[in-house]
Amino acid sequence: MLDLEGTIGDKQYLPREMKKLGYQTAMIGKWHLHAEPSAFDYYKVLVGHGGQGEYFNPVFIEKGMKYEFPATKNTETIKTEGHSTDVITDITLDYLKNRDKTKPFFLMHHYKAPHDLFEFAPRYKDYLEDTFIPEPASLYDNKNNGSVGTKGYNDELIHIIGSSVSHRNTIRNMGMHMGIDQDIPDPEYTKLAYQEYLKRYLRCVKGVDDNLARLFDYLKKEGLWENTIIVYTGDQGFMLGEHDYIDKRWMYEESMRMPFIVHYPAKITAEQRTDAIINNTDFAPTLIELAGGKAPEYMQGKSFKTILETGKEPEGWRDATYYRYWMHMAHRHANPAHFGVRTKDYKLIFFYGRYWVDTDDPNAEWNKKSWGNDFTRHTPPAWELYDLRNDPKEMNNVYDNPDYAQVKVMMKEKLKALREEIGDTDENFPHIKKIVDEYWDK
């Protein structure tokens, strides 16, 4: 078995820290990384379909098996039958029933669902069939959202940038995948595509909800419910028709914001909410502290255990967070590369519109035949600024509004400081740095 030195296999810090605290560790379900999850005491993870597995009859690898990683035709695998959400829950329940019950456990239970085209278990085919799913207003009228970075100087890019629900994107729109007649005109086409797409999504999520109920029932039956910390989260949000966009590769709210729910009756008040700014670098330090440890100095994030327990932010808690989508025009979703900063009140985004490899360099090494990518298409650099208190749906880009001149200055200062703090200043990518420097004060 292969543990790639200096790569993912060498950087599985969280399970190693949890084992130091006496926890037995397990990873079950979607792993989607290109190295064995070797730091876990036990794992059984999906393979195939680019590492994220299939929705139906998923294939797994398990700790102790002989295989090559990533999986090849010589890899020994475990084939299963059924929908992946059901199968992953079965595996987790089996692990919980057979674990060493003299030790506490740290389990990462990861579903494939909901992902991509939302293939749901057949038993949900009639769920919501006669229900009308409310549509976001921006699906039909995007008002002043966006910039030349997302549309082009004369709207020449609107038919290729960002997967859509409507006919807008002629390369990839959801009606194409939902079996909607392409000859039906908008807005009727948009309405039909949206209803089918959202119902598939909600049917897929219904499977997640029902399977979590199975896990929770087990914990309650075994007397573990009250003293087990449960964290429900995701690796990103998702656009579901807002601004007529689909996918996760946007800094807009629906994509940038992640679900994060914590169950811990002994310490956390039920239905408590916070608007504190956290990001996924904070997850590991928080889990370690909740488990009774202290996050090591090498970890980048901060524990928000105090916020969970009191609902209040400790003195000096961050007032802004950084975001970056480092790919460019990739995977047929065709989103321009961008980065930005978000505070509680404002969001500043810079679309720099270049792939991370300098595609203008004839000697550059990159996958020039990669399917569904348009890396060489440079898109216009542009800034966007949103007033989140007054415009939470991000319908009005106020970057050029003189009333926000001081806000722009403040947000750029925060953006610059965060880029420097985490070392993301593009010094190693001069073709990007050139664009950033040229447009910083524009």
Side-chain angles (χ1 to χ4, degrees):
M1 289 182 283
L2 181 63
D3 192 357
L4 301 176
E5 183 178 358
T7 59
I8 299 162
D10 195 40
K11 297 178 180 178
Q12 297 170 35
Y13 301 128
L14 180 56
R16 291 188 176 115
E17 293 297 328
M18 296 300 284
K19 281 197 279 191
K20 291 177 185 177
L21 297 172
Y23 286 77
Q24 51 190 322
T25 61
M27 162 67 70
I28 295 172
K30 183 177 176 180
W31 174 242
H32 204 188
L33 295 172
H34 298 295
E36 174 196 1
S38 55
F40 291 86
D41 295 318
Y42 173 78
Y43 63 78
K44 191 169 183 178
V45 295
L46 292 163
V47 292
H49 198 69
Q52 60 177 274
E54 303 289 346
Y55 265 114
F56 290 95
N57 303 329
V59 177
F60 294 82
I61 53 175
E62 186 175 32
K63 188 155 189 171
M65 294 173 59
K66 294 180 180 180
Y67 61 86
E68 297 177 15
F69 204 98
T72 69
K73 63 181 180 180
N74 298 319
T75 295
E76 180 183 359
T77 59
I78 298 173
K79 296 178 174 59
T80 66
E81 293 185 2
H83 191 272
S84 66
T85 305
D86 300 331
V87 174
I88 290 166
T89 305
D90 291 342
I91 295 168
T92 288
L93 287 170
D94 185 66
Y95 167 78
L96 289 172
K97 291 172 183 176
N98 294 286
R99 74 188 192 281
D100 181 352
K101 296 182 181 180
T102 66
K103 296 180 180 180
F105 64 91
F106 171 67
L107 166 67
M108 301 187 77
H109 169 85
H110 293 178
Y111 291 122
K112 172 185 173 69
H115 180 81
D116 201 25
L117 297 180
F118 314 136
E119 298 176 41
F120 51 85
R123 64 183 179 273
Y124 298 116
K125 67 181 180 63
D126 296 325
Y127 179 62
L128 301 174
E129 181 65 25
D130 298 322
T131 302
F132 176 79
I133 310 300
E135 302 162 335
S138 59
L139 175 62
Y140 297 100
D141 183 1
N142 205 20
K143 297 191 183 298
N144 191 38
N145 169 270
S147 61
V148 298
T150 61
K151 302 173 186 177
Y153 290 108
N154 297 296
D155 286 349
E156 72 274 10
L157 298 178
I158 62 172
H159 297 299
I160 63 170
I161 282 184
S163 298
S164 64
V165 174
S166 74
H167 277 126
R168 176 186 58 78
N169 190 313
T170 56
I171 299 172
R172 191 175 197 262
N173 68 69
M174 285 305 103
M176 295 176 176
H177 300 281
M178 301 296 109
I180 309 301
D181 185 348
Q182 296 294 297
D183 292 330
I184 296 175
D186 283 323
E188 183 63 20
Y189 178 87
T190 303
K191 186 177 295 291
L192 291 171
Y194 180 83
Q195 292 299 314
E196 179 63 24
Y197 189 58
L198 265 290
K199 286 175 183 179
R200 291 192 190 189
Y201 169 76
L202 293 168
R203 289 164 184 160
C204 205
V205 171
K206 174 67 170 168
V208 171
D209 291 346
D210 290 349
N211 274 280
L212 286 177
R214 293 174 61 204
L215 287 183
F216 297 165
D217 286 345
Y218 173 82
L219 294 175
K220 291 171 183 176
K221 186 179 76 171
E222 295 297 311
L224 297 170
W225 179 250
E226 294 297 323
N227 67 343
T228 297
I229 299 170
I230 301 171
V231 177
Y232 180 96
T233 187
D235 53 355
Q236 79 276 315
F238 205 85
M239 310 295 291
L240 287 169
E242 298 85 4
H243 311 293
D244 195 20
Y245 286 137
I246 293 299
D247 196 47
K248 58 195 174 186
R249 300 167 175 87
W250 291 106
M251 196 180 165
Y252 300 128
E253 287 291 271
E254 295 83 4
S255 172
M256 184 180 187
R257 294 177 66 119
M258 299 176 288
F260 199 91
I261 304 170
V262 183
H263 162 91
Y264 187 20
K267 296 287 186 178
I268 300 174
T269 304
E271 299 185 13
Q272 175 178 274
R273 289 176 174 268
T274 176
D275 66 351
I277 294 177
I278 67 170
N279 62 47
N280 48 15
T281 65
D282 301 325
F283 291 4
T286 303
L287 292 171
I288 290 169
E289 192 169 336
L290 285 169
K294 183 178 180 181
E297 291 294 325
Y298 65 75
M299 285 193 170
Q300 184 179 10
K302 301 177 182 179
S303 170
F304 51 90
K305 175 176 178 285
T306 299
I307 298 174
L308 291 174
E309 294 179 350
T310 68
K312 298 178 181 179
E313 299 172 36
E315 186 176 351
W317 189 255
R318 72 166 64 87
D319 64 358
T321 192
Y322 182 66
Y323 175 99
R324 184 162 196 170
Y325 173 58
W326 60 272
M327 293 287 282
H328 177 66
M329 303 298 284
H331 305 303
R332 296 184 69 195
H333 294 288
N335 294 7
H338 57 288
F339 59 71
V341 60
R342 187 196 190 278
T343 68
K344 291 183 180 181
D345 295 332
Y346 302 102
K347 181 185 294 181
L348 180 70
I349 310 172
F350 181 57
F351 289 90
Y352 56 91
R354 300 292 187 275
Y355 186 50
W356 66 276
V357 174
D358 185 358
T359 58
D360 292 336
D361 180 356
N363 298 314
E365 294 184 10
W366 53 285
N367 187 356
K368 299 178 182 180
K369 296 181 180 179
S370 184
W371 173 86
N373 298 317
D374 196 8
F375 299 145
T376 60
R377 183 190 291 272
H378 301 332
T379 55
W383 290 96
E384 296 181 17
L385 176 66
Y386 297 97
D387 182 341
L388 299 177
R389 293 292 189 195
N390 296 308
D391 179 28
K393 302 292 186 183
E394 298 171 309
M395 300 300 291
N396 185 25
N397 175 13
V398 296
Y399 185 80
D400 292 325
N401 186 331
D403 293 341
Y404 288 86
Q406 292 304 310
V407 174
K408 284 198 314 190
V409 172
M410 178 267 292
M411 291 295 284
K412 285 187 179 181
E413 288 175 352
K414 289 184 180 295
L415 179 57
K416 181 180 180 181
L418 284 173
R419 280 168 57 80
E420 291 176 350
E421 177 184 327
I422 65 175
D424 194 32
T425 56
D426 293 312
E427 296 297 330
N428 294 326
F429 305 95
H431 66 293
I432 295 176
K433 188 175 186 303
K434 179 181 178 182
I435 297 294
V436 176
D437 291 345
E438 181 182 351
Y439 282 84
W440 188 263
D441 293 321
K442 290 187 177 181

